[in-house]
Amino acid sequence: MTLSALLATLPSFANSTENNTLAPALFMGHGTPLNAFNSNQFTDDWEKISKIIKKPKAILVVSAHWETTFSAISTNLNPPTIYDFYGFPDFMYNIKYETKGAPEIATSIAESFSEKIFKDPNQGLDHGAWSVLSKLFPNADVPVFQFSLAQSMSPTEHFRLAQDMRKLREQGVMILGSGNIVHNIPSARNDSINGTRQIVHEWAKNFDDLVVSKINQGDYKSLANYEKISKDAKMAVPTPEHFLPLLYVLGATNKNEKAQYFAEGFQEGSFSMRSVLFS
């Protein structure tokens, strides 16, 4: 069965995206897992955007917190809530985001991509997924499945693979990238020692601004080579996993789509919370 035929078998969501309308593609700076429980300027913006975006037929999440050697897609019908963090209050390990998966859609995608995609029947929803979904779709009424970050691929290869995901949006599947444009934990730890955690670093702001400039110019290929666009990239993106989800969102867009920014700013001086919507 083709992907479009499979999506047509989801009657609860059959009218959730208008004909000839792309499902949303958005990148969300998720920050600390506590954002799933707290109310602040960023989570307030998440809730505002949830009232604007059209409900999709399904959601494909690319999260900073599911890395594999090679590309994989989750085919779990009942994805469990994963608590992939430590040292947080006990109540955080009791929350459950109970939504259905979309194994048939995920299997169809895995078999239709030119890249070899492995199917994982056990993967649940990591905190990069459920922490933001709990604000966007608090009723957990949209099927969700995840796509991993392959450590064997370069950023440019991730971006090229993401371009295969454009067709999913035409059929009602929302692409959600969850990470942070600027994410430097060692810097944050040093700031904690020095009592300067709330002061935004110049390199962090400069890199965040540069990424916005490149997005506005439609220069996504430069962002797929982010290590070379600025001397600040080494500090802003010391490891790639929080930046790569942005490339999946950019790769899944069309040239005529304009970026809409929300939840702008920094949650502590080493973490950008900037989020961007294409819809």
Side-chain angles (χ1 to χ4, degrees):
M1 186 181 294
T2 65
L3 177 59
S4 58
L6 281 169
L7 288 165
T9 67
L10 296 175
S12 299
F13 310 98
N15 298 317
S16 59
T17 50
E18 298 175 2
N19 291 335
N20 302 318
T21 300
L22 292 174
L26 70 159
F27 172 81
M28 296 186 67
H30 65 241
T32 171
L34 280 167
N35 285 325
F37 309 92
N38 292 344
S39 178
N40 54 48
Q41 69 180 88
F42 306 112
T43 62
D44 288 349
D45 286 336
W46 295 356
E47 291 174 349
K48 289 176 184 176
I49 210 70
S50 73
K51 296 176 174 59
I52 296 173
I53 58 176
K54 292 182 173 65
K55 181 189 289 186
K57 293 180 180 179
I59 302 170
L60 175 56
V61 179
V62 183
S63 167
H65 298 284
W66 188 26
E67 293 184 275
T68 54
T69 302
F70 303 104
S71 295
I73 198 165
S74 60
T75 58
N76 198 330
L77 178 60
N78 298 289
T81 305
I82 300 174
Y83 310 103
D84 47 346
F85 45 76
Y86 61 91
F88 286 87
D90 290 344
F91 71 86
M92 292 181 62
Y93 302 90
N94 296 319
I95 186 71
K96 293 185 183 300
Y97 188 78
E98 297 180 322
T99 189
K100 291 293 184 182
E104 291 184 332
I105 298 174
T107 298
S108 178
I109 291 171
E111 294 172 351
S112 66
F113 278 18
S114 56
E115 182 80 16
K116 173 67 175 176
I117 309 297
F118 292 90
K119 297 183 284 282
D120 188 331
N122 300 311
Q123 176 67 20
L125 300 181
D126 64 56
H127 83 264
W130 61 259
S131 66
V132 295
L133 288 171
S134 63
K135 301 291 187 178
L136 293 178
F137 300 102
N139 295 326
D141 55 356
V142 182
V144 179
F145 57 111
Q146 289 199 219
F147 194 89
S148 75
L149 296 174
Q151 295 173 320
S152 58
M153 294 169 58
S154 69
T156 296
E157 289 171 325
H158 283 288
F159 179 71
R160 289 173 183 164
L161 179 59
Q163 292 174 325
D164 279 344
M165 295 183 179
R166 289 176 184 168
K167 58 191 176 186
L168 303 180
R169 296 180 60 206
E170 296 172 0
Q171 299 172 41
V173 178
M174 185 173 94
I175 309 299
L176 171 60
S178 180
N180 293 96
I181 290 174
V182 175
H183 186 272
N184 190 321
I185 290 178
S187 172
R189 287 173 178 160
N190 288 334
D191 287 339
S192 292
I193 294 171
N194 297 323
T196 57
R197 196 153 179 160
Q198 299 303 322
I199 299 175
V200 178
H201 293 282
E202 184 177 0
W203 52 260
K205 185 179 185 307
N206 287 345
F207 188 78
D208 187 67
D209 288 343
L210 179 59
V211 169
V212 170
S213 175
K214 294 294 185 182
I215 292 175
N216 290 343
Q217 295 168 20
D219 187 7
Y220 303 159
K221 290 184 178 179
S222 288
L223 293 177
N225 290 282
Y226 67 87
E227 305 105 316
K228 299 178 181 179
I229 62 173
S230 169
K231 61 181 178 59
D232 297 315
K234 188 174 182 179
M235 286 297 291
V237 190
T239 56
E241 75 284 345
H242 278 77
F243 189 83
L244 292 176
L246 174 66
L247 298 183
Y248 277 87
V249 172
L250 298 179
T253 63
N254 293 322
K255 290 183 178 180
N256 61 344
E257 290 186 272
K258 299 298 183 183
Q260 304 172 58
Y261 301 98
F262 64 101
E264 300 175 71
F266 285 78
Q267 190 167 49
E268 304 178 359
S270 302
F271 305 108
S272 167
M273 293 295 289
R274 182 180 298 280
S275 299
V276 55
L277 169 68
F278 296 88
S279 179

